[in-house]
Amino acid sequence: MKLIFDHIDFTIVGHLQSLLEAEGIKTEIRNLNASSAAGDVPFTQVYPELWVLHNSDEARAKEIVKTYRDQEAATPVGPDWTCPVCKERVEGVFSECWNCGAAAPN
Ligand SMILES: [Zn+2]
């Protein structure tokens, strides 16, 4: 297994996981509950981590992450929005709800 990406914000890790899975890359997220456990582990900052199960997918996975990060950097970030379907809070960088896949309202 290879660690591809980690970020303090689970929604971004989860979004990248869905991008990789859509490309047929098997992934796993670790430290999913890191934020709630952080108070108990004062000396270790643990972020949610995105891993690929097969080392042979590492290069392709990193390319997908890089493409995503480049697009994110190039796109003006809109305000956060609330999903009209499941009421999840979604960051402005996303045009779809990370939780249920609904499109952002306009
Ligand atoms: Zn939703």
Side-chain angles (χ1 to χ4, degrees):
M1 290 182 60
K2 292 284 185 182
L3 175 62
I4 295 301
F5 181 75
D6 68 342
H7 196 281
I8 192 169
D9 188 343
F10 166 72
T11 59
I12 293 177
V13 180
H15 183 69
L16 283 167
Q17 179 186 37
S18 65
L19 290 181
L20 265 52
E21 294 275 350
E23 293 291 324
I25 298 173
K26 296 291 179 214
T27 62
E28 181 178 306
I29 291 181
R30 294 185 182 177
N31 302 333
L32 201 50
N33 300 313
S35 53
S36 60
D40 301 326
V41 192
F43 300 111
T44 311
Q45 194 71 39
V46 185
Y47 294 166
E49 297 174 341
L50 181 60
W51 292 71
V52 295
L53 301 192
H54 303 296
N55 292 1
S56 57
D57 286 331
E58 181 186 11
R60 206 153 53 97
K62 284 188 170 174
E63 189 60 35
I64 292 168
V65 170
K66 182 179 182 301
T67 301
Y68 167 78
R69 307 274 295 172
D70 287 349
Q71 286 174 351
E72 184 185 39
T75 306
V77 177
D80 292 357
W81 49 280
T82 301
C83 178
V85 177
C86 71
K87 309 303 180 195
E88 279 292 340
R89 194 75 183 151
V90 184
E91 288 187 46
V93 294
F94 300 120
S95 59
E96 293 179 353
C97 173
W98 61 268
N99 187 49
C100 73
N106 281 310

